[in-house]
Amino acid sequence: MGYIGEMSKKNDPVNVILAGLKREEYRGYDSAGISFFNGKPCVETLKVAGKIAALERLIFEKKPETSHSAIIGHTRWATHGIPNEINAHPHTDCGHEIAVVHNGIIENYKQLRNMLGHDGHKFVSSTDTEVIPHLIERARRTGSRTFEESVMEALKELIGSFAVLVLCSDEPDKIIAARRGSPLLLGLGEKEFFVASDPMAICEYTDRAIYLNDGEMTMVTEDGYEILNYHDGSSGKSEVVKFDISLANGHAKKGEYEHFMLKEISEAPEVIFNACKGRIDFETFSVTFGELDEFEEKLKRVKKIMFAACGTSYYASLSGKYIFEKLPDISGAEAFYASEFRYHHPKIDADTLLISISQSGETADTLEALREAKKYDALTLGIVNVSGSAIAREVDIPVYCHAGPEIAVASTKAFISQVVVLAAVALRLSELKGGESEERKTVIRELGNLPEKVALVLAAKNIIRHVAEISQKYGNFLYLGRRYNWPTALEGALKLKEISYIHAEGYPSGEMKHGPLALVDNSFPTFAIAVKDEVVYDKVLSNLQELKARGGPIIAVATEGDSAILELADHVIFIPETLPELSPILAVIPCQLFAYFVAVLKKRDIDQPRNLAKSVTVE
Ligand code: F6R
């Protein structure tokens, strides 16, 4: 994030940057730093290993005085080099006259580093980023170029993705910002400007911004800004957009909850309600999707549906795939890990609908899969939670989850909203392609019942905490589910891994006997999703018998009234009966709460687990 504004105005530049970085901490939180000028010829840089709170403490101790209001700051998620103070951004040139913060990856940094090293440049960090200030320094020295010309020259040498902010002692009242691949926006205030990775960072100060395009750079002073294409110096397009200031509203407070994760799980009933609101009419059994209207004809022609997403969003797409397949007149759907999408190279054409699913809307792998599909003229639809995010802006049809900000790194309410929105999109597509359908009505009716049923699952919180207390001693877990709840098992295992750091594997229950069963003994428990489903329930019970015969402890999520499961499982968490295809929406909640309570008992950093970031903006 960068800030520049009229000195002596209401905003202290250091505080503006700290507040903005705190809002961007979801992108990474292993080290942080700021650079500014304090009347000396060199740039002053303060950096720490750890979170923004550590940087805040350092700033409180040092009480930095800024002589110019231009200031840049960064919170890091390590790609190259361990998360320590030296590798934290900003990085500077040999003379500490240039400071740079960077998101993305410079793929040719090794060659550049060797070349610059030959020319006598001294590197102190292990990062890819450090080549940027040195490249600018070289351009500035060799051709006595201006600050702007030097940055342009340096950017041309970079291969990879970047959003960069640069300060230079030649013009201490200016920030230069540029991007390729990684998001960057310029926030417009009154005699003050902000540059940041996303609107979250600046929504406290302004709701007007310009999203820079790939290949653009902006030169910002307190008097104004200019946008250029850094390849040829031509003028950039500068469309001012107003973003939704509700991003900043009270949703992002923990309130009565100890952690954001628990708060977000507890929001499930309203999340389902909001995902359906204005879309599903529970009286007429119809689905209206304003966003889809303009594309109705194209949607009717769609022959192939593909999902591309990562992590939890990918598991939501696996769940959604079953709903798509179940509804009439939809030929089926394929789900891909976004990071693998381009290697499969399925035959994409203008009759293909690519659905990108992403809470943040900024995930680099998902964005690249989307760009790949666009090359082949596919129609693109994004199921996204953060409005104005990169994916929302790049797809033909942005469809919002309306789940409210998700702050905890472990995704919980986003999964629920994504599955509900996928169901709503599937219903609309099925309606567009066919006529009346009893099956659709059944799904719609049950979606209307879900908020109440989810509230009942949440009410079983104490039972789940008790099961977590008994089970937290184990070092490994197998998560099993069949058919609709195979994705739930995968998601349950992911939740446990990421916040408790306990090893867990998700499997389709039927696969267990083909290998993983070898792991099972009385110290290797299984968390099974064994809800009522006329097609697979009996088979799941047989799979659990096989585990029991080997002494494996069993925790089961089952449907209320099921007595057979009580004979098999050591602990049972009951959920209300629902349609099998919608059961993941209920069954995932015990998985989320179980992981949460185990992690609390293990005293983990619940909302910001180690090594992770809320939004993964590198491929
Ligand atoms: C897991 C988790 C991640 C994300 C993944 C995709 O709890 O949060 O697996 O689901 O990084 O992120 P989005 O949905 O923002 O694209």
Side-chain angles (χ1 to χ4, degrees), residues 108 135 149-159 162 180 229-233:
N108 59 337
L135 280 175
E149 289 162 349
S150 310
V151 174
M152 277 173 100
E153 212 44 43
L155 295 179
K156 287 178 197 160
E157 307 220 29
L158 303 178
I159 297 176
F162 56 81
R180 183 203 298 150
N229 178 309
Y230 54 71
H231 295 292
D232 57 16

Short mmCIF file of all heavy atoms in Angstrom, two decimals, residues 108 135 149-159 162 180 229-233:
data_model
loop_
_atom_site.label_atom_id
_atom_site.label_comp_id
_atom_site.label_asym_id
_atom_site.label_seq_id
_atom_site.Cartn_x
_atom_site.Cartn_y
_atom_site.Cartn_z
N ASN A 108 12.58 -14.22 -13.79
CA ASN A 108 13.97 -14.19 -14.27
C ASN A 108 14.90 -13.51 -13.25
O ASN A 108 15.92 -12.95 -13.63
CB ASN A 108 14.05 -13.47 -15.62
CG ASN A 108 13.55 -12.04 -15.57
OD1 ASN A 108 12.76 -11.70 -14.69
ND2 ASN A 108 14.00 -11.20 -16.49
N LEU A 135 17.66 -2.62 -10.48
CA LEU A 135 17.48 -2.33 -11.91
C LEU A 135 17.16 -0.85 -12.12
O LEU A 135 17.64 -0.22 -13.06
CB LEU A 135 16.31 -3.16 -12.47
CG LEU A 135 16.57 -4.61 -12.82
CD1 LEU A 135 15.26 -5.28 -13.23
CD2 LEU A 135 17.60 -4.74 -13.96
N GLU A 149 11.53 7.61 -16.01
CA GLU A 149 12.19 6.87 -17.11
C GLU A 149 12.93 5.65 -16.58
O GLU A 149 12.94 4.59 -17.21
CB GLU A 149 13.19 7.80 -17.83
CG GLU A 149 12.51 8.88 -18.66
CD GLU A 149 13.47 10.02 -19.01
OE1 GLU A 149 14.60 10.08 -18.45
OE2 GLU A 149 13.08 10.86 -19.82
N SER A 150 13.53 5.80 -15.40
CA SER A 150 14.29 4.66 -14.83
C SER A 150 13.36 3.52 -14.49
O SER A 150 13.68 2.34 -14.72
CB SER A 150 15.03 5.09 -13.56
OG SER A 150 15.75 6.26 -13.79
N VAL A 151 12.19 3.85 -13.91
CA VAL A 151 11.25 2.78 -13.56
C VAL A 151 10.77 2.09 -14.84
O VAL A 151 10.74 0.85 -14.93
CB VAL A 151 10.05 3.33 -12.75
CG1 VAL A 151 9.00 2.25 -12.52
CG2 VAL A 151 10.51 3.89 -11.41
N MET A 152 10.45 2.89 -15.86
CA MET A 152 9.97 2.30 -17.13
C MET A 152 11.01 1.35 -17.70
O MET A 152 10.70 0.24 -18.14
CB MET A 152 9.71 3.41 -18.16
CG MET A 152 8.37 4.05 -18.00
SD MET A 152 8.21 5.46 -19.08
CE MET A 152 7.27 4.79 -20.41
N GLU A 153 12.25 1.77 -17.66
CA GLU A 153 13.35 0.98 -18.20
C GLU A 153 13.48 -0.34 -17.44
O GLU A 153 13.61 -1.41 -18.03
CB GLU A 153 14.64 1.82 -18.02
CG GLU A 153 15.71 1.66 -19.05
CD GLU A 153 15.22 1.64 -20.48
OE1 GLU A 153 14.35 2.47 -20.84
OE2 GLU A 153 15.72 0.79 -21.23
N ALA A 154 13.39 -0.24 -16.11
CA ALA A 154 13.55 -1.44 -15.27
C ALA A 154 12.40 -2.42 -15.50
O ALA A 154 12.63 -3.63 -15.62
CB ALA A 154 13.61 -1.02 -13.80
N LEU A 155 11.19 -1.91 -15.58
CA LEU A 155 10.02 -2.80 -15.71
C LEU A 155 10.11 -3.66 -16.97
O LEU A 155 9.67 -4.81 -16.99
CB LEU A 155 8.72 -1.99 -15.73
CG LEU A 155 8.38 -1.23 -14.44
CD1 LEU A 155 7.07 -0.45 -14.61
CD2 LEU A 155 8.25 -2.19 -13.25
N LYS A 156 10.70 -3.08 -18.01
CA LYS A 156 10.79 -3.81 -19.28
C LYS A 156 11.64 -5.07 -19.16
O LYS A 156 11.56 -5.97 -19.96
CB LYS A 156 11.36 -2.90 -20.36
CG LYS A 156 10.35 -1.85 -20.81
CD LYS A 156 10.96 -0.93 -21.84
CE LYS A 156 10.14 0.33 -21.96
NZ LYS A 156 10.85 1.43 -22.57
N GLU A 157 12.51 -5.10 -18.15
CA GLU A 157 13.41 -6.25 -18.00
C GLU A 157 12.79 -7.39 -17.20
O GLU A 157 13.36 -8.47 -17.08
CB GLU A 157 14.69 -5.81 -17.29
CG GLU A 157 15.34 -4.62 -17.98
CD GLU A 157 16.83 -4.75 -18.03
OE1 GLU A 157 17.33 -5.89 -18.06
OE2 GLU A 157 17.49 -3.69 -18.02
N LEU A 158 11.64 -7.13 -16.59
CA LEU A 158 11.08 -8.13 -15.67
C LEU A 158 10.21 -9.15 -16.40
O LEU A 158 9.35 -8.78 -17.20
CB LEU A 158 10.23 -7.44 -14.59
CG LEU A 158 10.93 -6.38 -13.73
CD1 LEU A 158 9.94 -5.77 -12.74
CD2 LEU A 158 12.12 -6.98 -13.00
N ILE A 159 10.45 -10.43 -16.09
CA ILE A 159 9.55 -11.49 -16.57
C ILE A 159 8.82 -12.01 -15.33
O ILE A 159 9.45 -12.24 -14.29
CB ILE A 159 10.35 -12.62 -17.25
CG1 ILE A 159 11.05 -12.06 -18.49
CG2 ILE A 159 9.43 -13.78 -17.62
CD1 ILE A 159 11.95 -13.07 -19.19
N PHE A 162 3.84 -8.82 -11.37
CA PHE A 162 4.16 -7.83 -10.34
C PHE A 162 3.11 -6.76 -10.22
O PHE A 162 2.41 -6.41 -11.16
CB PHE A 162 5.53 -7.18 -10.61
CG PHE A 162 5.66 -6.54 -11.97
CD1 PHE A 162 5.17 -5.26 -12.21
CD2 PHE A 162 6.28 -7.22 -13.02
CE1 PHE A 162 5.30 -4.67 -13.46
CE2 PHE A 162 6.40 -6.64 -14.28
CZ PHE A 162 5.91 -5.36 -14.51
N ARG A 180 1.72 -5.77 -13.65
CA ARG A 180 1.50 -6.78 -14.70
C ARG A 180 1.09 -8.07 -13.98
O ARG A 180 1.86 -8.58 -13.17
CB ARG A 180 2.75 -7.03 -15.51
CG ARG A 180 2.48 -8.02 -16.65
CD ARG A 180 3.72 -8.72 -17.13
NE ARG A 180 4.69 -7.80 -17.66
CZ ARG A 180 6.02 -8.03 -17.60
NH1 ARG A 180 6.49 -9.12 -17.02
NH2 ARG A 180 6.85 -7.17 -18.10
N ASN A 229 1.20 3.81 -20.29
CA ASN A 229 1.60 2.45 -20.63
C ASN A 229 3.13 2.45 -20.56
O ASN A 229 3.77 3.25 -21.22
CB ASN A 229 1.12 2.14 -22.05
CG ASN A 229 1.53 0.77 -22.48
OD1 ASN A 229 2.71 0.42 -22.38
ND2 ASN A 229 0.58 0.01 -22.97
N TYR A 230 3.71 1.58 -19.71
CA TYR A 230 5.15 1.67 -19.52
C TYR A 230 5.96 1.06 -20.67
O TYR A 230 7.18 1.18 -20.70
CB TYR A 230 5.62 1.11 -18.17
CG TYR A 230 5.20 -0.30 -17.85
CD1 TYR A 230 5.75 -1.39 -18.52
CD2 TYR A 230 4.27 -0.56 -16.86
CE1 TYR A 230 5.38 -2.67 -18.21
CE2 TYR A 230 3.88 -1.83 -16.53
CZ TYR A 230 4.43 -2.89 -17.21
OH TYR A 230 4.06 -4.18 -16.91
N HIS A 231 5.30 0.43 -21.64
CA HIS A 231 6.04 -0.09 -22.79
C HIS A 231 6.33 1.02 -23.79
O HIS A 231 7.44 1.16 -24.27
CB HIS A 231 5.24 -1.20 -23.49
CG HIS A 231 5.06 -2.39 -22.62
ND1 HIS A 231 6.11 -3.19 -22.26
CD2 HIS A 231 3.95 -2.89 -22.02
CE1 HIS A 231 5.65 -4.15 -21.47
NE2 HIS A 231 4.36 -3.99 -21.31
N ASP A 232 5.28 1.83 -24.07
CA ASP A 232 5.48 2.83 -25.13
C ASP A 232 5.22 4.26 -24.68
O ASP A 232 5.28 5.20 -25.47
CB ASP A 232 4.56 2.49 -26.33
CG ASP A 232 3.09 2.42 -25.90
OD1 ASP A 232 2.78 2.91 -24.80
OD2 ASP A 232 2.27 1.87 -26.65
N GLY A 233 4.91 4.46 -23.43
CA GLY A 233 4.71 5.82 -22.91
C GLY A 233 3.36 6.43 -23.29
O GLY A 233 3.08 7.58 -22.94
#
